[in-house]
């Protein structure tokens, strides 16, 4: 009698989650309701809400199971599986030495120790409020595939494992109670190639595909670690799941802002919105999100994107650890961190000074941008004391000088001075410190703010841009004062510039602001 040999059935974790299909049906309905269509020309009718252009300063939060090993960077989940020589920390060998072989102790095994037992969303929100931030953006899901919220499309999320709390829900409530706007970020698109595979690793096991992603053949290639070279376009199953997850975040938490990392552009620099293989799903998401926020009093939601994933009129460009050389229209954003070494918490962080970060904020705002500044909490839910001190120092400066930042616009020129900034992707490490002749301009109505990025040793400053024959400021100057100081300033204006004698006492610890008003 003949027998039939049944083919081995795929592991359920590698199949589409059954909740995805009904989610896609709902998304399609939301798009049809309009007013935006999933087409670039429709999405380019987008208008950036005024709150965002006025806010200028937000807080980013990288927090996940990667804070348990607290080693190297938040890319530990990826690097712990890459056995190659590299500069800096050897994640692969550190993992074996500390936790054992990757087959026996994989990234998934950190999750039970990610307990967040001291996490206090209200305390975090108060700290961010005290920093002077106007919006807060926690990472909802990083490349590691572990959502920090109650996700309907995987069992691997913070509401079911680890903290067993919906972190995004708690933060949404706490942040909004403090009258700040709330956003979320999704880095999930890079999960497609994030985990390099080897048959001796736990991530090669299909039963964990709903965390690590499906063990696709190209992830076992010898050079799979080189994602800039080996980043095949995500397939429909992955992109549909991505779309369902992204729109669920919109439905559950009504974010005012939605930030996307680089994974939505598989070819990075060579991809634009026309040839991007992810474009169809990006258009669907944008139409859905904008339609869901079309009737909001605060205006449409904000989408942040990297590289050229969107047409520049359809969303807001975000630059990672870099800036603009000149004023950019339309409005844009820089994301960077209090640490130069990592976004997530690690031991031995390389912290920036609050002085430098205040200067970065001023430079960015003068060029029609805003700053999203990241902190990395510990696995227990506490924000390191160093991070807190930096945020409080920035908040102290903004209490005195925020008039020159919030609710302002760029001026006719961004500033003066010889010090330049780095504009390439993640190039901020090349930046040189600003000097006393570096000045930046912002404006509100008829008022001009001149911010000096370093206090001059000689106690005076000449603003060349405001010379008596200036094309930028032909009108007469009526008054010059300093924010935070009651001292009446001595000043004069001629063809060489506006010369101001500064007060003996510096009103704030970092940059200083001159307020210039017209003669009436």
């Amino acid at each position: 009698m003949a027998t039939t040999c049944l083919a081995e059935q795929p592991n359920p974790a590698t199949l589409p989650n059954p909740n995805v299909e009904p989610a896609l049906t709902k998304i399609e309905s939301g798009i049809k309701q309009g007013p935006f269509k999933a087409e670039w020309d429709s999405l380019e009718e987008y208008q950036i809400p005024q709150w965002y252009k006025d806010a200028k300063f937000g807080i980013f939060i990288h927090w996940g199971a990667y804070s348990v090993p607290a080693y190297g960077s938040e890319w530990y989940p990826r690097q712990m599986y890459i056995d190659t020589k590299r500069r800096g920390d050897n994640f692969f060998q550190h993992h074996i030495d500390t936790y054992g072989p990757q087959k026996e102790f994989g990234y998934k095994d950190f999750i039970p120790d990610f307990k967040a037992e001291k996490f206090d969303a209200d305390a975090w929100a108060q700290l961010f409020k005290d920093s002077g931030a106007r919006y807060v953006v926690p990472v909802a899901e990083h490349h590691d595939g572990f959502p920090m919220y109650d996700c309907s499309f995987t069992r691997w999320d913070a509401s079911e494992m680890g903290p067993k709390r919906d972190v995004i829900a708690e933060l949404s409530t706490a942040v909004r109670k403090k009258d700040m706007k709330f956003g979320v970020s999704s880095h999930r698109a890079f999960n497609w190639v994030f985990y390099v595979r080897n048959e001796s690793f736990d991530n090669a096991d299909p039963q964990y595909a709903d965390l690590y992603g499906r063990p696709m053949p190209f992830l076992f290639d010898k050079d799979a670690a080189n994602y800039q070279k080996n980043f095949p376009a995500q397939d429909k199953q992955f992109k549909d799941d991505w779309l369902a997850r992204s729109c669920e975040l919109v439905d559950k938490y009504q974010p005012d802002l939605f930030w996307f990392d680089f994974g939505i552009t598989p070819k990075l620099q060579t991809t634009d919105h026309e040839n991007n293989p992810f474009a169809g799903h990006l258009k669907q998401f944008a139409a859905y999100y904008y339609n869901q926020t079309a009737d909001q009093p605060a205006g449409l939601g904000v989408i942040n994107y990297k590289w050229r994933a969107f047409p520049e009129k359809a969303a807001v460009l975000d630059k990672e650890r870099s800036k603009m050389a000149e004023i950019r229209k339309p409005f844009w954003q820089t994301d960077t961190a209090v640490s130069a070494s990592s976004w997530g918490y690690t031991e031995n962080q390389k912290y920036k000074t609050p002085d430098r970060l205040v200067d970065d904020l001023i430079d960015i705002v003068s060029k029609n941008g805003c700053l999203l500044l990241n902190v990395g909490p510990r696995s227990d839910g506490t924000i390191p004391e160093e991070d807190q001190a930096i945020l409080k120092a920035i908040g102290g400066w903004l209490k005195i000088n925020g008039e020159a930042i919030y609710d302002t616009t760029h001026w006719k020129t961004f500033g003066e001075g010889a010090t330049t900034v780095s504009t390439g992707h993640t190039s901020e490490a090349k930046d040189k410190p600003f000097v006393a002749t570096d000045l930046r301009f912002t404006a509100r109505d008829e008022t001009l703010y001149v911010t000096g990025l370093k206090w001059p040793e000689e106690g005076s400053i000449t603003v060349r841009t405001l010379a008596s024959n200036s094309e930028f400021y032909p009108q007469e100057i009526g008054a010059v004062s300093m924010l935070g100081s009651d001292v009446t300033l001595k000043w004069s204006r001629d063809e060489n510039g506006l010369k101001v004698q500064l007060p003996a006492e510096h009103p704030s610890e970092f940059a200083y602001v001159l307020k210039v008003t017209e003669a009436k």
Side-chain angles (χ1 to χ4, degrees):
M1 181 176 179
T3 59
T4 302
C5 181
L6 296 176
E8 184 178 349
Q9 295 297 308
N11 190 286
T14 66
L15 300 176
N17 186 287
N19 293 327
V20 169
E21 194 60 39
L24 296 178
T25 300
K26 179 183 178 184
I27 293 165
E28 183 179 359
S29 175
I31 294 172
K32 287 181 178 178
Q33 292 174 10
F36 288 92
K37 300 177 182 178
E39 301 170 0
W40 288 135
D41 58 351
S42 175
L43 296 169
E44 287 182 288
E45 297 298 317
Y46 174 73
Q47 295 293 318
I48 300 172
Q50 192 63 41
W51 75 260
Y52 183 54
K53 292 188 286 187
D54 290 342
K56 310 301 186 188
F57 180 45
I59 297 296
F60 209 2
I61 311 166
H62 275 65
W63 190 40
Y66 43 82
S67 63
V68 176
Y71 180 85
S73 79
E74 77 290 345
W75 277 40
Y76 188 99
R78 173 179 169 86
Q79 300 293 351
M80 63 174 274
Y81 293 106
I82 300 176
D83 184 15
T84 57
K85 291 183 179 180
R86 63 187 307 275
R87 292 180 299 170
D89 299 319
N90 188 326
F91 294 73
F92 185 86
Q93 192 58 49
H94 168 83
H95 186 83
I96 293 174
D97 293 344
T98 309
Y99 306 103
Q102 286 79 352
K103 181 75 171 181
E104 298 174 12
F105 193 105
Y107 180 63
K108 69 182 187 307
D109 298 302
F110 286 116
I111 294 173
D113 290 328
F114 179 38
K115 299 177 181 177
E117 65 271 22
K118 297 180 181 179
F119 170 51
D120 184 337
D122 290 324
W124 284 20
Q126 185 62 58
L127 172 65
F128 303 150
K129 185 75 172 180
D130 292 343
S131 78
R134 293 284 181 88
Y135 61 108
V136 177
V137 185
V139 172
E141 182 177 351
H142 205 248
H143 313 311
D144 62 347
F146 186 75
M148 295 294 290
Y149 62 98
D150 180 15
C151 179
S152 300
F153 309 101
T154 180
R155 59 191 165 125
W156 300 92
D157 71 58
S159 72
E160 299 178 68
M161 299 183 183
K164 296 185 178 179
R165 299 166 69 172
D166 188 331
V167 170
I168 299 303
E170 292 186 41
L171 282 172
S172 172
T173 299
V175 164
R176 285 170 163 142
K177 280 196 304 185
K178 295 296 181 181
D179 296 320
M180 294 179 285
K181 297 295 184 182
F182 182 76
V184 295
S185 79
S186 171
H187 312 234
R188 174 162 183 78
F190 189 51
N191 181 262
W192 175 246
V193 293
F194 187 62
Y195 291 102
V196 175
R197 312 302 167 99
N198 183 299
E199 292 297 342
S200 66
F201 299 159
D202 71 316
N203 63 22
D205 191 332
Q207 70 172 310
Y208 303 126
D210 46 352
L211 172 65
Y212 297 126
R214 286 170 287 150
M216 306 297 283
F218 58 82
L219 296 170
F220 293 82
D221 290 348
K222 185 176 181 180
D223 57 354
N226 185 354
Y227 68 88
Q228 293 186 339
K229 177 183 177 183
N230 301 297
F231 195 158
Q234 297 95 330
D235 66 10
K236 186 177 185 299
Q237 178 179 327
F238 182 93
K239 289 186 287 189
D240 284 352
D241 182 89
W242 172 92
L243 181 61
R245 294 188 189 215
S246 299
C247 292
E248 180 176 58
L249 284 165
V250 171
D251 293 339
K252 284 190 172 182
Y253 310 108
Q254 296 84 50
D256 300 290
L257 180 148
F258 206 116
W259 189 100
F260 287 119
D261 207 2
F262 66 91
I264 57 175
T265 52
K267 294 182 181 179
L268 300 180
Q269 297 99 318
T270 61
T271 299
D272 63 25
H273 66 276
E274 294 289 358
N275 63 22
N276 183 4
F278 218 105
H281 286 70
L282 290 178
K283 287 186 281 189
Q284 287 179 282
F285 172 78
Y288 184 81
Y289 181 37
Y290 291 162
N291 287 345
Q292 294 301 305
T293 56
D295 296 327
Q296 294 296 316
L300 294 167
V302 176
I303 295 176
N304 293 148
Y305 69 94
K306 297 285 184 69
W307 303 104
R308 292 181 291 168
F310 282 79
E312 67 173 21
K313 292 182 180 179
V316 177
L317 176 67
D318 177 271
K319 298 194 71 175
E320 181 175 342
R321 292 191 185 271
S322 67
K323 307 181 190 74
M324 292 287 179
E326 302 283 345
I327 294 169
R328 179 189 189 266
K329 301 176 184 178
F331 196 70
W332 60 284
Q333 177 176 269
T334 282
D335 69 283
T336 190
V338 298
S339 167
S341 54
S342 178
W343 295 85
Y345 171 73
T346 65
E347 298 177 357
N348 305 314
Q349 291 273 41
K350 296 177 181 178
Y351 284 102
K352 302 172 187 174
T353 66
D355 190 359
R356 172 185 170 175
L357 291 167
V358 165
D359 286 351
D360 286 346
L361 172 63
I362 296 162
D363 180 71
I364 290 163
V365 171
S366 75
K367 296 169 182 173
N368 198 35
C370 60
L371 172 62
L372 183 61
L373 181 64
N374 181 78
V375 295
R378 299 185 185 95
S379 63
D380 65 2
T382 57
I383 296 176
E385 292 71 20
E386 295 90 342
D387 298 53
Q388 293 191 44
I390 290 170
L391 294 188
K392 290 175 182 177
I394 294 171
W397 186 86
L398 282 167
K399 284 181 180 178
I400 297 171
N401 301 288
E403 180 182 334
I405 300 294
Y406 305 123
D407 309 318
T408 62
T409 64
H410 62 86
W411 194 50
K412 300 171 184 178
T413 181
F414 72 86
E416 61 182 66
T419 307
T420 59
V421 298
S422 299
T423 59
H425 183 63
T426 65
S427 62
E428 66 180 13
K430 300 176 183 178
D431 286 348
K432 305 297 183 184
F434 291 107
V435 298
T437 53
D438 292 317
L439 308 175
R440 295 294 181 265
F441 305 126
T442 54
R444 182 192 293 114
D445 300 324
E446 303 303 318
T447 300
L448 173 65
Y449 299 96
V450 181
T451 302
L453 301 182
K454 185 177 180 181
W455 191 269
E457 292 182 3
E458 60 272 24
S460 66
I461 189 70
T462 299
V463 186
R464 300 190 311 276
T465 307
L466 298 183
S468 55
N469 57 357
S470 171
E471 62 177 307
F472 294 110
Y473 204 99
Q475 60 270 48
E476 289 187 27
I477 294 175
V480 180
S481 60
M482 180 175 286
L483 298 186
S485 175
D486 295 328
V487 175
T488 300
L489 302 182
K490 295 180 180 180
W491 59 274
S492 61
R493 188 188 192 194
D494 58 25
E495 65 275 8
N496 295 316
L498 172 67
K499 185 172 183 179
V500 183
Q501 186 67 39
L502 304 183
E505 187 174 341
H506 195 329
S508 55
E509 191 176 356
F510 313 124
Y512 64 92
V513 180
L514 299 175
K515 182 176 181 178
V516 180
T517 55
E518 296 180 24
K520 296 182 179 179

